[in-house]
Amino acid sequence: MAPKNAQSSADTAYAHLKEAILDGELLGGTMVSEGSIADRLSMSRTPIREAFLRLQAEGWMRLYPKRGALVVEVHPHELEDILEARVVVESAAVRRFERSEVSLAQLRSDLLEQIALQRSTHATGDLGAFTAADAAFHWLIVKAGGNALLADFFATLRERQQRMTARSLWRRDDIAATVIAEHERLTDLIAMGDADAFAAALDTHVRGTHRQLLSPQSR
């Protein structure tokens, strides 16, 4: 068993690298070395190597002996699959609201709280916090649907969703402002109980946000 301090260092390195991948600091296709990350975090290479291995096991990195670690690209087919799954799961959740006896007033309040957080983090340029709030907004909708299986499935998409959002919004203030406005529209449709209009607006929202990634030129 690794010493406690060594394990803590590996956890710290893992958390740092994972956050850098999810918030778009380390883009797909970026090659990083143990030495560069060790210098950045003022650590030895051992915990960095452990973090690399863990991230490779999760599918975020691919290791190349004596060269470093490559941040895995988000492939076009994965983008399409994630977007389709998101629309299906979130739309199903909204259609279940009446059966799940969710409080639409409380959900609206919770969603508006995430929108306010997005607005403030957008104003300060905190892309990581903005994308985290984006993921939380959509997670609240799915959780409110009351289907534990769908919620568990959606949870597996959250990190990939967050990474996609960061990449789509990287230095794109116009898209970020549109995301906020569209979240407000989605919230209004939920409060109105219009599940069909919500599904249509959600499909437009997710595809519009990631349009640049889905275009042939970005592939």
Side-chain angles (χ1 to χ4, degrees), residues 14 36 46 80 111 137 148 171 209 217 219:
Y14 166 81
S36 64
T46 298
E80 292 281 3
L111 294 175
F137 175 90
R171 299 189 178 90
T209 300
Q217 292 84 357
R219 301 180 188 182

Side-chain angles (χ1 to χ4, degrees), residues 31-217:
M31 180 74 78
V32 295
S33 67
E34 292 178 5
S36 64
I37 302 301
D39 290 342
R40 181 192 300 187
L41 300 181
S42 300
M43 294 181 180
S44 69
R45 295 192 179 194
T46 298
I48 306 303
R49 187 175 303 117
E50 293 179 18
F52 279 6
L53 289 169
R54 184 173 172 185
L55 289 165
Q56 177 175 248
E58 294 180 358
W60 298 106
M61 283 183 160
R62 187 176 299 119
L63 303 188
Y64 293 90
K66 299 182 179 179
R67 292 180 57 194
L70 179 72
V71 180
V72 174
E73 289 270 16
V74 179
H75 296 291
H77 69 82
E78 182 183 357
L79 296 174
E80 292 281 3
D81 289 349
I82 291 173
L83 295 182
E84 181 179 1
R86 284 183 54 193
V87 172
V88 169
V89 173
E90 288 186 59
S91 298
V94 172
R95 296 185 193 284
R96 285 178 52 89
F97 281 174
E98 184 175 346
R99 280 182 290 164
S100 64
E101 299 182 350
V102 63
S103 168
L104 293 183
Q106 182 60 55
L107 177 59
R108 180 177 182 275
S109 176
D110 293 340
L111 294 175
L112 290 176
E113 182 178 339
Q114 292 303 319
I115 292 171
L117 181 57
Q118 284 193 291
R119 188 174 286 109
S120 64
T121 53
H122 172 47
T124 59
D126 189 342
L127 179 61
F130 183 95
T131 57
D134 178 272
F137 175 90
H138 292 282
W139 167 244
L140 284 169
I141 295 171
V142 174
K143 187 171 67 171
N147 185 316
L149 291 177
L150 287 180
D152 286 345
F153 171 66
F154 193 79
T156 67
L157 301 177
R158 289 184 68 185
E159 290 182 339
R160 287 172 171 77
Q161 172 193 335
Q162 185 174 337
R163 183 190 186 194
M164 285 172 55
T165 302
R167 184 177 171 190
S168 293
L169 301 183
W170 191 253
R171 299 189 178 90
R172 292 296 303 274
D173 287 346
D174 56 331
I175 297 180
T178 299
V179 166
I180 293 172
E182 291 179 349
H183 278 185
E184 291 174 333
R185 174 60 176 161
L186 292 172
T187 301
D188 288 342
L189 291 172
I190 287 174
M192 294 164 57
D194 194 336
D196 290 338
F198 173 88
L202 177 65
D203 186 76
T204 299
H205 167 63
V206 297
R207 293 188 179 280
T209 300
H210 306 296
R211 183 179 295 114
Q212 185 177 14
L213 296 185
L214 293 166
S215 67
Q217 292 84 357

